[in-house]
Amino acid sequence: MKKFRKVLDGLTTSSPGGTLGSPSYSSAAGTPTASTPREIDVQETLVSENFQLCKTVRHGFPYQPTALAFDPVQKIVAIGSRTGGVRILGRPGVDCYCHHETTAAVLQLQFLINEGALVTACADDTLHLWNLRQRRPAILHSLKFNRERITFCHLPFQSKWLYVGTERGNTHIVNIESFVLSGYVIIVAAHYATHYTELLIGFESGTVVQWDLRMKKVDFRIYYDEAIHSVSWHHEGKQFMCSHSDGSLTLWNQRNTARPFQITFPHGKIQKDGRKESCKPILKVEYKTSRNSSEPFVIFSGGLSYDKAGRRPTLTIMHGKAITVLEMDHPIVEFMVLCETPYNNEVQEPYAVVVLLEKDFIVVDLTQSNFPIFENPYPMDIHESPVTCTAYFADCPPDIIPILYSIGAKHKKTGFSQKEWPITGGTWNVGSQTYPEIIITGHADGSIKFWDASAITLQMLYKLKTSKVFEKPKPGEVRGGDLVEEDPYAVQMVSWCPQSRIFCVVGISAHIILYRFSKYEANTPIVSLEVRLQCDTEEVLSPSETENQPCFPEPGSHSPVQASPGSGASEGVKDSIPCLKVKERPVRVPPGYQAELVVQLLWVDGEPPGQITSLDINSAYGLLAFGNSNGLAVVDYLQKTLLLCLSTLDLYGAADPYQRLTRSPRKNRQSTSGRAARRTHAHTHTHTHTHIHRHRQAQGHRHALKGPGRKLSLPTDLKTDLGTNSFSRSRSSSVSSIDRETKEAVTTLQFGESYGRKGDAQPTPCLWVGTSLGVVLLIPMSVPTEEEERLEEPVTIGPGGAVLLMKGSILRLAFLDLAGAIIPGPHEVWRDPNGPEDPDRPRRRKLINFSPWSSQDGCAEGHLAVVCSERQAKVLLMPSQACLFVHNITESSFVLRADVVTACNSVCLACFCANGHIMTLSLPSLRPLMDVNYLPMTDMRIARTFCFTNGGQALYLSSPTEVQRITFSQDMCENLQEMLGELFTPIETPEVQNRGFLKGFFGGNAQNLDREELFGEASAGKASRSLAQHIPGQVGMEGMKAAAGGVVGDLARARIALDERGQRLGELEDRTAHMMTSAETFSKHAHEVLVFFTFLAQIAAIKRC
């Protein structure tokens, strides 16, 4: 049997495919396969230098967040993740993603406040210093600890010494400038807080130690019974607060450390027996003071009692006697209190709380008594329901984004804080290369979101809920036709025509919903069309004697499709019922997208309908086509009728390119003719349409049927936790290998103006069909052009025929003119279906690129058809159907996504393979232009969501919560720097608050300690080399460009250095002037005090006399 398979594979490999009327040779990539009937002169302008692959921007919520940091001067926030990623956010438009070389989790983040740098501590016990003074942050230094595990880091404001605590209880000091360890080690660290010259260290065991940095000794040591989770100083340095594992808060005074002078259980109630009920740990506490109020703010997470199971996580805000508990939808990862001053020894003036949740990011306004949250300007809710599909549209009509935004703004949530978003750092300007872009995401709950993706930003425009079309099952009711046990409205694919604003949604319950856009409210019924699409045979392919030269008949030899009476439904467990129930009453819908038609596939003899695998809609024709593993159906959505419903086998007619072993028919099974019932719930009549079918002789044995009532579950890759499902699929290079699937599915559909037959002189509406066995079929149609005729006369579908046979499943069909440009598809200009009628100017359909007008533009001379399968790409000349070029894309893998897109003012074929390679081919010659090993396939999520668009761009779902956009255009890569936002902007550091003369004079040790004399190499010595290893960072992209610039780069660096030096000299001069002023003020006050005491002494002397 193995030898037999090898012989078959060898035979089919020697014949990669053929076209009727043109010889097919096993050709090299991009070479012509035969002499063309006429000269095709296309000036191709694309070369390999036009392509470069790079990531542009990442949108969404950081997946599995672990750490949070905030720069109070620059006003930017950083979020670390479990996979080693770091997101840095500022004002809208300032959004940067960077990733460590390893996938170790980020444990902690520390900004060098107002210095344009960030320190990250990772789970592999490595510290990294990031340079944020460039648009693409880069690592400057790394420090790898070898013998101890990092547990906590602390970096005081305006200090160059980083405190690093380890699991052994030691505290090491790292010089931020050189990123090397100091010889100074505190051998007694878990949670830190510094005040002047004291370092407060809290241990999980409940011990608190205050370390005197200058004297290198312990000032005091506190032992407490409960474990400590966090420590927070009072700004005066005389008190500090600890949070504990028993849900308590303790307040300590430095003068008496024997016991806390205040112990509170904020959420602990006293039970009947007089004991406190047990509470959950308080994981973090912030102790902040305010100038406008004598009462401090105490903000903490956790601490709730255990009395109720399933209680949501909370953030508690205590201000005086008022206690406010904010319930969160997800567990709290980290929170930070935003204060007006970066100095810890000043009155803090808190104004907001940043809360990082497992699946959300919110900011609470502390300036209002009800503590509202700010409206988040970032697209953090992409994953509100798991994303199941994506679509990317570049260069959309300019008016579509404002209209969608105006409609969506009416349904936005309210109750947000009226103040501006407090994270306002960085700068961002709209780049020069901007055009309207829209991203559409489909979700597991049936919702659709439209996003404005212009200028590498992302903002939600409009949200559509497809579940509103269907009746909700009553509590306890179980519908017998349900196809999936959960998420029955999950979106599988979408099709959108931006010009006509027609929108189609395919759901997992084998349903299609067609929407029209209107700016007016409507109250209309929803028409339901039920389609019976099921094949009779379990098809198994066998080797054909004519396989090397497939026998494709002339299309003219087919007899036209005729209607025949259909047989009644057979008795079965589930038969002729849809999966969902459409609302029967007229539905009142708001402005926006309004459902007009619902197409549902029916159960047949206990067998559920097959998942819809392909969809295409054409607004000029008014037709909707879809297919699955059983066959093809064409719907006239203007007349609400079913035009065609055939099994895939019936599409070939009498001459099938494959010889198949048919199976015995099912018992009591009705014919495979597509029966559809048009059911209008607005009290209209019911019509039944039947179509011709062909019976085949039964041979061999039949495979076991699947049991009745089989249910499907939503694929795991469509759920929130996608995991790491291995994405591997072994496919034989043979198209007709007996190891292939048992059914031939319709994998792609494309409406367009083409030539249904070789002898046609003018293009006509056609439907191109691609199947999973690599066959391309062409179905001509006759569509009335006048509006009155179109609504009354039926659309005629002529006999079709096979055009091409290729390796692998057909993925993409596209059309080019003879100059090599993309032929835009026919479409209808949008008109509001519910708009007011104008008697002087009646509304009529306006069609673009629709025959016979298309023939006046030179299209009558012919056009090129681009066909891409999982392994091959071919270019055909129509109407002769001659194969001009063929290219074998891959032999070891297979193509997942392919599309014909514009790039660098030309056209190319872009492919994404399962082995992670992204390729581009020229058109029409199919020359390889780019082949980059970009992204290894690890799960189905990327495969389902990867999509290309015009402008040399693409996107995919990089995690369940994030969308990654990439570009393969050299022009966009070069202009990307100016499109990205600046993370660092020069801002003067706020001055220290005036402490007053007497408070400064009698304040004691209020001055900062010069830590260089303590931690420097001269006094502390060098650290052991075996303790940590210094790793120099790689030069960032901007550094590389500056280095490559020669003298220009040197001059630029010198200019920057001079500017920074001048800025520092200016600051030094200002500080010197301020010190002189302070000295003069001090001298004046001292002289006044001296005069005053002298005067008192003189009076006392006079009295004694």
Side-chain angles (χ1 to χ4, degrees), residues 625-647:
F626 64 93
N628 62 5
S629 60
N630 294 323
L632 169 71
V634 180
V635 174
D636 184 344
Y637 68 80
L638 295 179
Q639 298 185 18
K640 309 298 188 296
T641 58
L642 182 68
L643 299 177
L644 181 69
C645 185
L646 292 176
S647 68

Side-chain angles (χ1 to χ4, degrees), residues 328-366:
M328 305 295 168
D329 294 331
H330 310 284
I332 297 175
V333 177
E334 177 67 284
F335 75 89
M336 294 191 70
V337 180
L338 309 188
C339 301
E340 295 288 350
T341 175
Y343 298 95
N344 292 328
N345 58 346
E346 297 179 349
V347 179
Q348 301 296 288
E349 291 294 341
Y351 60 90
V353 182
V354 177
V355 187
L356 177 63
L357 308 177
E358 279 191 0
K359 296 182 180 180
D360 203 356
F361 179 77
I362 63 174
V363 180
V364 181
D365 187 358
L366 292 179

Side-chain angles (χ1 to χ4, degrees), residues 149-176:
R149 304 296 303 273
I150 298 175
T151 57
F152 202 83
C153 297
H154 176 70
L155 180 64
F157 178 46
Q158 291 184 330
S159 172
K160 68 175 183 178
W161 301 98
L162 174 70
Y163 300 90
V164 182
T166 67
E167 65 177 359
R168 295 185 180 181
N170 300 330
T171 301
H172 301 277
I173 316 296
V174 178
N175 189 322
I176 290 297

Side-chain angles (χ1 to χ4, degrees), residues 224-298:
Y224 196 69
D225 296 337
E226 297 295 335
I228 293 177
H229 288 276
S230 66
V231 179
S232 180
W233 275 108
H234 186 275
H235 80 277
E236 292 181 348
K238 298 177 181 179
Q239 298 176 358
F240 60 90
M241 182 175 289
C242 301
S243 67
H244 301 276
S245 59
D246 62 346
S248 65
L249 296 174
T250 57
L251 192 60
W252 301 78
N253 196 314
Q254 280 191 320
R255 296 181 180 179
N256 183 11
T257 58
R259 60 180 179 178
F261 74 88
Q262 182 179 341
I263 302 176
T264 58
F265 288 83
H267 298 299
K269 300 178 182 178
I270 301 177
Q271 299 177 350
K272 295 181 179 180
D273 56 0
R275 293 184 303 173
K276 291 275 187 180
E277 60 182 349
S278 59
C279 297
K280 299 178 182 178
I282 296 179
L283 302 179
K284 182 179 180 180
V285 64
E286 292 271 9
Y287 187 29
K288 304 296 180 182
T289 55
S290 175
R291 184 177 292 104
N292 298 327
S293 175
S294 59
E295 299 291 343
F297 279 91
V298 178

Side-chain angles (χ1 to χ4, degrees), residues 297-317:
F297 279 91
V298 178
I299 303 171
F300 60 90
S301 60
L304 291 180
S305 61
Y306 286 101
D307 57 348
K308 293 183 181 179
R311 297 184 66 173
R312 296 196 292 179
T314 60
L315 182 77
T316 304
I317 302 174

Side-chain angles (χ1 to χ4, degrees), residues 3 48 96 107 154 162 258 292 299 303 306 343 359 364 433 476 484 533 557 586 612 636 690 702 739 819 916 935 946:
K3 293 183 179 179
S48 298
C96 178
L107 299 180
H154 176 70
L162 174 70
N292 298 327
I299 303 171
Y306 286 101
Y343 298 95
K359 296 182 180 180
V364 181
Q433 293 186 349
V484 294
L533 185 60
S557 63
I612 297 173
D636 184 344
T690 57
R702 174 174 174 75
D739 291 331
L935 182 69
F946 196 100

